[in-house]
Amino acid sequence: MSWAQRDSALFWVYCAALVLGPVLFLAQAFGLVVYGGGPALAALPITALTFLVFGGILFWLDMFRARTRLLAPIVMGFAWGFLVWPGTALWANDRVTRVVTNLGGDEFASNWQAAIAAPIDEEFIKAIGIAVVAVLFRSRLSRPMHGFLIGGAVGLGAQISEDMLYSLQTAVAAPQNPARDVFVVALLRLVTAFTSHWAMSALVGVGIVVLLTRTDRSWAYRVATFVLFYLLAVSMHAIFDAPRAAGPGVLALLLPVVIDLAIFLLAYRWVLAAERKWFRATISQPVAREFGPEPALESLLTHRGRHRARAALRSSFHYTYGQAKQYERDLLTRIAALADEPAPAVRYSPPGALWTDQQTVPR
């Protein structure tokens, strides 16, 4: 599907949001950019590392390479999080925080405004972006993992933009040694980002895609799944931003991350179970015999099975680790394509081997 869906009004709304988002951000944070932009550059290596680490984790969690047919929605989701979310979230946070202060008073707001305001408006703004991209590419989406990847991309864009905003704020607030403080804050955000925006939005994406695509299930099931995953993301955000409990500094810092990680992993297990169910159904099709017998292809269902299969390739056919890994990736990509189109021609020739009886060293 083309990235530029010129016949879709929603696509042009998305494009307008990409333009207006940075304008809204600069209207609120121009002074930060002017006075803190130089020292904030000290955080760029850590921010780049954050992008690589959590982008890599997001793709690693995609065991069956659903991402190979989702390049456009993943990039467009990241752009929403990076360009649209920061300015909109700044504006919304300011308004919601005022409401919290008016209702609870200054002391209550100083402790709880982040845990109340951010989960409400920040997750909602990211969810809008996920929904827009999911609707634009609805014909490509059919599995919870598709929503997981799009949501994770939106959240990763928001994470990177928020890291840059924190760098600007730190640079302005620490005039004595701003570069050092900016670097330390960026490093701290990297360490605590394992359950941050990317993980929260990945769960929201699951709920949105189930709501949009699972037409084989009842509306009650689809709505309940969306509400559950959305509330899990909101809960993770509230826990992450809640006032830290009394105790040792490291424990107070990491305990919310541990709790959020437990919530995230439980939700991810459900997504992974759905992926494995889809994969078993795919390799049971007669056309999948082109790639090998079903029992052999089942070794791809787990990381342990894949490790053993790669070891067998290296032992029996003298593959390097990189060649075995590339063969596995190509095989997963071709199997995934069965859901959308006839299987592409096999790239390998005899002699026989592990997953299929037509294999030589990958080129």
Side-chain angles (χ1 to χ4, degrees):
M1 184 181 296
S2 171
W3 292 44
Q5 300 180 38
R6 297 181 179 86
D7 295 333
S8 168
L10 185 60
F11 172 76
W12 293 111
V13 171
Y14 169 87
C15 292
L18 292 189
V19 174
L20 294 176
V23 173
L24 181 59
F25 175 79
L26 287 174
Q28 301 170 89
F30 184 75
L32 284 176
V33 174
V34 171
Y35 294 106
L41 294 176
L44 279 183
I46 302 300
T47 304
L49 182 61
T50 300
F51 172 77
L52 294 175
V53 167
F54 294 104
I57 290 175
L58 183 65
F59 284 175
W60 181 78
L61 293 172
D62 173 26
M63 282 190 63
F64 300 99
R65 296 182 66 78
R67 62 188 179 275
T68 56
R69 300 187 61 79
L70 293 179
L71 177 61
I74 286 174
V75 173
M76 290 174 66
F78 180 87
W80 179 280
F82 186 74
L83 296 174
V84 180
W85 179 85
T88 314
L90 274 178
W91 181 87
N93 270 328
D94 183 56
R95 271 67 186 173
V96 177
T97 297
R98 291 181 189 176
V99 174
V100 173
T101 303
N102 291 336
L103 293 177
D106 292 337
E107 183 178 354
F108 176 82
S110 65
N111 292 322
W112 290 97
Q113 63 185 15
I116 295 174
I120 292 174
D121 57 69
E122 293 183 8
E123 292 307 319
F124 181 69
I125 295 165
K126 289 186 292 178
I128 292 173
I130 298 167
V132 167
V133 174
V135 170
L136 286 173
F137 293 92
R138 184 174 180 176
S139 63
R140 284 196 190 184
L141 310 179
S142 59
R143 293 146 51 191
M145 180 56 73
H146 294 153
F148 187 89
L149 290 169
I150 294 173
V154 172
L156 184 58
Q159 178 68 42
I160 298 303
S161 66
E162 188 175 69
D163 285 354
M164 295 172 69
L165 176 59
Y166 268 72
S167 297
L168 291 170
Q169 292 173 335
T170 303
V172 172
Q176 297 301 320
N177 197 338
R180 182 197 63 191
D181 289 357
V182 162
F183 186 86
V184 170
V185 169
L187 189 60
L188 182 61
R189 288 185 61 79
L190 169 62
V191 172
T192 58
F194 285 89
T195 55
S196 190
H197 285 291
W198 73 273
M200 300 165 191
S201 294
L203 301 191
V204 176
V206 171
I208 289 175
V209 166
V210 170
L211 179 64
L212 287 175
T213 66
R214 287 302 303 269
T215 54
D216 59 317
R217 303 299 296 265
S218 68
W219 265 107
Y221 172 87
R222 293 157 66 183
V223 171
T225 302
F226 165 72
V227 170
L228 173 62
F229 277 85
Y230 187 84
L231 290 180
L232 287 176
V234 169
S235 300
M236 288 176 63
H237 205 146
I239 292 169
F240 191 86
D241 285 345
R244 296 299 190 252
V250 174
L251 177 63
L253 179 66
L254 295 182
L255 182 59
V257 177
V258 172
I259 296 173
D260 278 358
L261 185 60
I263 295 173
F264 175 78
L265 290 178
L266 284 173
Y268 173 72
R269 284 189 64 181
W270 184 86
V271 175
L272 185 57
E275 281 291 277
R276 286 174 171 155
K277 182 179 179 180
W278 166 84
F279 188 78
R280 287 190 177 96
T282 302
I283 63 176
S284 68
Q285 300 176 36
V287 68
R289 300 290 76 75
E290 180 179 0
F291 306 127
E294 187 174 347
L297 293 176
E298 286 182 349
S299 65
L300 294 166
L301 284 167
T302 64
H303 288 293
R304 179 178 296 180
R306 295 179 185 188
H307 176 76
R308 291 175 177 172
R310 290 194 299 267
L313 286 174
R314 297 174 67 186
S315 172
S316 300
F317 294 92
H318 308 293
Y319 279 32
T320 65
Y321 176 84
Q323 289 171 331
K325 189 71 175 178
Q326 184 60 48
Y327 179 80
E328 177 189 289
R329 285 195 293 264
D330 288 347
L331 185 58
L332 286 167
T333 299
R334 298 202 309 277
I335 292 174
L338 292 178
D340 302 295
E341 58 190 38
V346 177
R347 293 173 49 196
Y348 308 108
S349 0
L354 187 64
W355 285 299
T356 170
D357 58 3
Q358 293 187 345
Q359 168 184 304
T360 57
V361 176
R363 294 187 294 276

